[in-house]
Amino acid sequence: AQSVTQLGSHVSVSEGALVLLRCNYSSSVPPYLFWYVQYPNQGLQLLLKYTTGATLVKGINGFEAEFKKSETSFHLTKPSAHMSDAAEYFCAVRQTSYDKVIFGPGTSLSVIP
Amino acid sequence: NAGVTQTPKFQVLKTGQSMTLQCAQDMNHNSMYWYRQDPGMGLRLIYYSASEGTTDKGEVPNGYNVSRLNKREFSLRLESAAPSQTSVYFCASSGTGGAHQETQYFGPGTRLLVL
């Protein structure tokens, strides 16, 4: 069965510092991988996704993530945090032959001025 | 485009009452989903519909029923609400084929409190 783990339910960074949010997955086949962001009192929106091809994926708002098959990881990074990045971030995985997406528990990102 | 819309935004129910959460999408997507979001648990899939006329159980279907009324609309019904169903409910949709087939688009959510 697929599963997604996100290390750290809450991460705090200073404005301008590196953002690193960790995601590991278990899947029997190479999966589709996603990062979604949820701002307060809103639904989720897609930040970036990996399906096939280049393992370094760039998304919106300066975020990127790298698919590492050997480590079963898909960590999210941003070189310089901005106050507007404060939100909840969800990693998700989907097997290619099914419609269902499995979400991780989420990481709440705080940005300190 | 409105994307995915949900009604109502907020609802308070008493234990045992019933209600239906409505969801509609205007993106001509085949697949639609209902999730619940609880603190520290991420999103858990309640039911999904891979195409018009089909529905399947997700991870936490007990206490819920769904109807895929047509390609646009997917409703979630609580027949007899329980306090354990207090949560935020999200509807989502995804297309098949093309660049966005794997991306899910989410509605703004319905906050439900069961007393």
Side-chain angles (χ1 to χ4, degrees):
Chain A
Q2 297 175 90
S3 67
V4 180
T5 57
Q6 293 182 240
L7 186 62
S9 59
H10 187 87
V11 170
S12 291
V13 300
S14 297
E15 191 174 16
L18 171 73
V19 176
L20 170 60
L21 304 182
R22 300 179 186 274
C23 173
N24 289 88
Y25 68 91
S26 68
S27 175
S28 58
V29 298
Y32 291 175
L33 295 159
F34 309 82
W35 276 101
Y36 284 86
V37 62
Q38 183 182 32
Y39 298 104
N41 299 314
Q42 294 186 27
L44 281 70
Q45 63 185 89
L46 183 71
L47 264 183
L48 49 79
K49 65 183 178 185
Y50 168 79
T51 55
T52 59
T55 55
L56 182 61
V57 181
K58 295 186 186 299
I60 61 173
N61 301 338
F63 284 93
E64 62 183 35
E66 186 171 11
F67 169 51
K68 292 188 176 180
K69 185 179 178 181
S70 61
E71 298 177 8
T72 61
S73 68
F74 191 56
H75 301 330
L76 182 71
T77 61
K78 181 174 180 178
S80 177
H82 192 272
M83 295 298 294
S84 61
D85 295 327
E88 188 92 16
Y89 292 81
F90 294 93
C91 182
V93 60
R94 173 185 174 179
Q95 294 205 175
T96 55
S97 57
Y98 296 98
D99 274 339
K100 288 184 269 191
V101 174
I102 305 298
F103 286 85
T107 296
S108 177
L109 176 66
S110 297
V111 182
I112 304 165
Chain B
N1 277 349
V4 179
T5 57
Q6 293 182 234
T7 55
K9 286 186 169 52
F10 303 96
Q11 185 70 50
V12 179
L13 291 178
K14 294 181 180 178
T15 297
Q17 287 185 317
S18 63
M19 78 162 295
T20 300
L21 282 66
Q22 306 286 355
C23 173
Q25 52 91 9
D26 62 3
M27 295 172 282
N28 201 36
H29 285 167
N30 285 337
S31 300
M32 297 186 74
Y33 313 81
W34 275 107
Y35 292 92
R36 61 178 289 174
Q37 183 180 28
D38 301 291
M41 303 189 74
L43 276 75
R44 293 181 292 169
L45 183 65
I46 305 171
Y47 271 92
Y48 71 104
S49 171
S51 62
E52 186 179 354
T54 68
T55 60
D56 287 285
K57 295 179 180 179
E59 186 183 353
V60 288
N62 291 345
Y64 305 95
N65 286 302
V66 290
S67 295
R68 184 73 183 268
L69 305 170
N70 47 55
K71 192 170 186 179
R72 289 188 64 248
E73 299 172 290
F74 188 40
S75 63
L76 178 72
R77 183 159 178 85
L78 286 71
E79 291 291 351
S80 179
S84 61
Q85 294 178 304
T86 293
S87 188
V88 181
Y89 292 85
F90 288 99
C91 178
S93 69
S94 66
T96 55
H100 297 291
Q101 67 181 90
E102 301 89 11
T103 301
Q104 293 191 335
Y105 295 83
F106 285 82
T110 294
R111 282 168 171 71
L112 176 65
L113 173 62
V114 183
L115 301 174

